[in-house]
């Protein structure tokens, strides 16, 4: 498959994705697509299935049925998934977690260089050069030799973003990237994400940061009870949500902010 | 207490150290495949590992020593030259240690946060890389204190090997004691054991401290 970076195409397509834990339906027949270069904010009350949906995109969570396409790699989950397909899919997707999940036993530099060497086969020199470029970009070049435990939460999250970007993903997934951070530390992370969005990275962001969803995203998806309640342009969703459930949710979060 | 007694019992120090070190090292190695079976997705493998662990730990070391040392010769007396005192003792200690170490590893594995596995998977690292470069090193840090106290316990338990004639501290103490009809050699042996455990405990603490300082 050939794709021209200039023309928007479907970067992510989810079709009829279902996820059940026993009797409990977490995702109920969810379909959505994300164009290349688009920033999608996934919002909704907790327990709505936002994180589960996000984790299905790189198959950290395996859906019960449905299909997932990321940048031309399609996986039908009812079939057995080949390790090769899974690797191909994951190589296209970078992920940032709420709890950062940096490797505590490795220096900041090594956190970013090791995956490049092991996954992409880059040389150590090459991987470290790329790591330093990214660390400079997130403003943390001086932390390269430190261990993650010595860094603040906001710094750790920026390092985690650099680690994911080092593998040259086509798509970045963010699972509540600022929820574990103090508000002012969250801001430095949001600034990095805003820059990424401006550069045209395809992003799916599960977030409770309504300001970010409103200002940075191109598209807002509201989830509730394992299904998509409504979706649209941020100004539509925030100004005139069509669903009463969305209105109630937005009122609750916006009142708090 | 003569200089002689100290010297006689001291002949066993090397034996005690060798037996403990080799037995423990083999056990620590064998504990790894045992851990893999113990946490396998296939229940028969899990059950097998669990049975091994429970049975091995449930039977006292001295019984294993007798069974391994004397058992084979009952089948074929020629096996006596294969299962010498030393080899039988190493084998018994290794087999029992494997069971204990597998459980220590399992505890260490559970102490590694779920997010570490997820991050490694999300980055596309292979299972082997995840195990050896991400999870393993973190397990080592957690496993050191309990492994060290197990090894120190083993240093003392290795005295049981004197019963099948391994030339270690307690063996020489017993011989010296029966030759002189005195309890002094056992007193000396006790001092040697304490003298050996102190540096081991200290080394384990320093190693732990060093690793913690690097990550904290």
């Amino acid at each position: 498959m050939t794709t021209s970076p200039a023309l928007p195409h479907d970067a992510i397509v989810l079709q009829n994705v279902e996820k059940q834990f026993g009797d409990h339906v977490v995702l109920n027949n969810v379909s959505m697509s994300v164009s290349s270069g688009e920033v999608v904010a996934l919002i909704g009350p907790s327990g709505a299935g936002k994180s589960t949906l996000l984790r299905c995109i790189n198959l950290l969570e395996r859906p019960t049925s449905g299909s997932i396409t990321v940048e031309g790699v399609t996986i039908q989950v009812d079939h057995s998934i080949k390790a090769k397909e899974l690797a191909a899919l994951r190589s296209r997707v970078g992920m940032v977690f709420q709890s950062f999940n940096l490797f505590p036993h490795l220096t900041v530099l090594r956190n970013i260089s090791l995956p490049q060497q092991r996954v992409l086969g880059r040389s150590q020199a090459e991987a470290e050069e790329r790591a330093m470029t990214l660390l400079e970009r997130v403003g943390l070049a001086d932390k390269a030799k430190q261990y993650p435990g010595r860094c603040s939460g906001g710094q750790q999250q920026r390092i985690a973003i650099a680690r994911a970007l080092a593998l040259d993903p086509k798509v970045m997934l963010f699972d509540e990237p600022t929820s574990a951070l103090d508000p002012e530390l969250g801001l430095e992370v949001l600034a990095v994400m805003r820059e990424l969005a401006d550069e045209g990275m395809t992003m799916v962001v599960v977030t409770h940061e309504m300001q970010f969803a409103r200002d940075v995203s191109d598209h807002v998806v509201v989830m509730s009870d394992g299904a998509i309640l409504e979706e649209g342009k941020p100004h539509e969703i925030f100004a005139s949500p069509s669903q009463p459930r969305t209105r109630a949710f937005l009122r609750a979060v916006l009142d708090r902010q | 207490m003569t200089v002689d007694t100290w010297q006689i019992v001291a002949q066993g120090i090397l034996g005690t150290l060798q037996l403990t070190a080799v037995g423990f090292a083999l056990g620590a190695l064998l504990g790894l495949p045992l851990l893999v079976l113990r946490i396998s997705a296939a229940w028969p493998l899990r059950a097998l590992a669990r049975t091994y662990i429970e049975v091995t730990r449930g039977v006292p070391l001295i019984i294993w020593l007798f069974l391994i040392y004397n058992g084979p010769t009952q089948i074929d007396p020629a096996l006596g030259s294969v299962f010498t005192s030393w080899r039988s003792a190493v084998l018994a200690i290794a087999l029992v240690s494997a069971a204990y170490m597998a459980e220590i590893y399992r505890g260490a594995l559970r102490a590694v946060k779920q997010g570490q596995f997820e991050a490694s998977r999300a980055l596309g690292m292979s299972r082997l890389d995840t195990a050896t470069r991400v999870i393993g090193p973190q397990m080592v840090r957690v496993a050191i204190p309990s492994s060290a106290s197990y090894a120190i316990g083993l240093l003392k338990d290795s005295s049981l090997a004197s019963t099948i004639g391994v030339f270690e501290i307690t063996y020489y103490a017993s011989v010296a004691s029966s030759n002189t009809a005195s309890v002094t050699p056992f007193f000396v042996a006790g001092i040697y054991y304490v003298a050996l455990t102190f540096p081991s405990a200290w080394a384990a603490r320093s190693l732990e401290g060093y690793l913690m300082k690097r990550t904290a």
Side-chain angles (χ1 to χ4, degrees):
Chain A
M1 194 188 93
T2 53
T3 51
S4 157
L7 293 170
H9 59 277
D10 282 338
I12 303 172
V13 181
L14 304 180
Q15 277 180 317
N16 310 107
V17 170
E18 299 215 318
K19 174 73 185 175
Q20 282 176 281
F21 290 113
D23 288 342
H24 184 55
V25 179
V26 189
L27 293 176
N28 187 6
N29 200 15
V30 176
S31 297
M32 70 180 254
S33 61
V34 179
S35 301
S36 62
E38 195 176 34
V39 177
V40 173
L42 215 48
I43 66 171
S46 42
K50 310 180 296 286
S51 286
T52 307
L53 184 66
L54 191 77
R55 293 156 58 86
C56 283
I57 297 175
N58 67 350
L59 290 166
L60 270 191
E61 207 77 69
R62 187 164 173 177
T64 320
S65 64
S67 81
I68 292 158
T69 305
V70 178
E71 291 289 343
V73 177
T74 299
I75 291 191
Q76 298 281 352
V77 296
D78 353 31
H79 299 56
S80 68
I81 301 172
K82 294 192 192 83
K84 229 174 147 183
E85 289 177 336
L86 193 60
L89 182 104
R90 287 193 179 143
S91 73
R92 287 161 170 75
V93 183
M95 186 160 194
V96 173
F97 299 87
Q98 181 178 350
S99 50
F100 331 132
N101 297 346
L102 292 176
F103 304 137
H105 61 297
L106 301 177
T107 61
V108 167
L109 185 69
R110 202 78 192 103
N111 259 278
I112 307 175
S113 64
L114 177 75
Q116 297 179 62
Q117 289 176 249
R118 304 310 302 173
V119 178
L120 301 181
R122 288 185 183 147
S123 72
Q124 180 158 353
E126 213 179 342
E128 286 185 353
E129 197 188 320
R130 176 93 170 107
M132 284 311 299
T133 308
L134 285 163
L135 278 175
E136 269 160 35
R137 185 168 151 192
V138 298
L140 292 170
D142 58 321
K143 295 287 177 186
K145 299 283 177 224
Q146 300 268 9
Y147 285 89
R150 291 278 168 86
C151 301
S152 73
Q155 290 170 340
Q156 290 192 48
Q157 195 61 299
R158 282 144 68 196
I159 295 161
I161 293 173
R163 180 174 69 175
L165 289 175
L167 299 174
D168 303 323
K170 302 258 199 277
V171 168
M172 285 283 285
L173 309 177
F174 293 85
D175 191 2
E176 299 197 27
T178 57
S179 298
L181 299 172
D182 289 340
E184 63 270 39
L185 296 182
L187 286 178
E188 59 189 53
V189 172
L190 291 171
V192 170
M193 291 170 62
R194 199 181 283 258
E195 254 183 61
L196 259 185
D198 290 343
E199 286 164 19
M201 175 63 80
T202 310
M203 294 164 59
V204 182
V205 186
V206 171
T207 188
H208 293 292
E209 302 271 0
M210 292 305 140
Q211 185 88 37
F212 180 84
R214 189 156 39 187
D215 298 350
V216 181
S217 73
D218 304 305
H219 194 77
V220 175
V221 174
V222 188
M223 285 187 73
S224 176
D225 299 322
I228 292 177
L229 198 60
E230 64 179 303
E231 55 182 311
K233 297 273 169 228
H235 64 87
E236 295 164 6
I237 300 285
F238 285 101
S240 50
S242 64
Q243 299 290 325
R245 186 85 181 82
T246 309
R247 273 197 290 272
F249 168 71
L250 288 176
R251 200 177 314 122
V253 274
L254 294 174
D255 276 356
R256 263 211 325 225
Q257 284 181 350
Chain B
M1 203 186 314
T2 63
V3 173
D4 250 17
T5 310
W6 288 94
Q7 280 174 350
I8 290 168
V9 180
Q11 293 174 80
I13 291 176
L14 195 59
T16 291
L17 287 176
Q18 279 175 340
L19 181 59
T20 308
V22 177
F24 177 74
L26 284 175
L29 275 178
L30 289 172
L32 287 171
L34 194 55
L35 169 73
V36 173
L37 294 180
R38 179 68 183 80
I39 59 171
S40 156
W43 74 262
L45 296 179
R46 270 202 317 273
L48 185 75
R50 201 162 168 184
T51 309
Y52 175 85
I53 289 168
E54 296 309 333
V55 169
T56 313
R57 294 196 306 179
V59 176
L61 180 60
I62 195 164
I63 304 288
W64 285 123
L65 288 166
F66 290 152
L67 286 174
I68 293 173
Y69 181 57
N70 297 317
T73 52
Q74 249 178 38
I75 300 161
D76 178 358
L79 284 173
S81 62
V82 178
F83 290 87
T84 60
S85 306
W86 160 255
R87 287 179 193 162
S88 305
V90 167
L91 186 60
I93 287 176
L95 293 178
V96 171
S97 298
Y100 279 99
M101 291 307 292
E103 286 298 282
I104 288 176
Y105 296 150
R106 196 166 64 93
L109 182 64
R110 289 172 64 156
V112 177
K113 293 198 181 74
Q114 193 56 36
Q116 296 289 309
F117 296 87
E118 290 187 348
S120 194
R121 279 164 68 200
L123 288 164
M125 305 258 278
S126 69
R127 287 167 69 105
L128 186 66
D129 280 342
T130 302
T132 58
R133 294 174 185 267
V134 177
I135 307 303
Q138 297 187 54
M139 284 170 60
V140 169
R141 284 162 173 69
V142 183
I144 284 175
S146 30
S147 305
S149 50
Y150 175 74
I152 289 166
L154 196 60
L155 185 85
K156 291 173 284 175
D157 289 347
S158 70
S159 61
L160 294 168
S162 64
T163 56
I164 59 168
V166 175
F167 299 147
E168 44 69 74
I169 293 174
T170 305
Y171 175 85
Y172 284 104
S174 314
V175 172
S177 175
S178 52
N179 285 346
T180 57
S182 153
V183 79
T184 308
F186 289 117
F187 178 74
V188 169
I191 288 174
Y192 282 147
Y193 280 112
V194 172
L196 291 177
T197 52
F198 260 125
S200 317
W202 176 83
R205 267 200 309 275
S206 329
L207 181 61
E208 192 193 346
Y210 168 73
L211 292 174
M212 290 301 159
K213 208 164 63 197
R214 279 186 38 183
T215 53

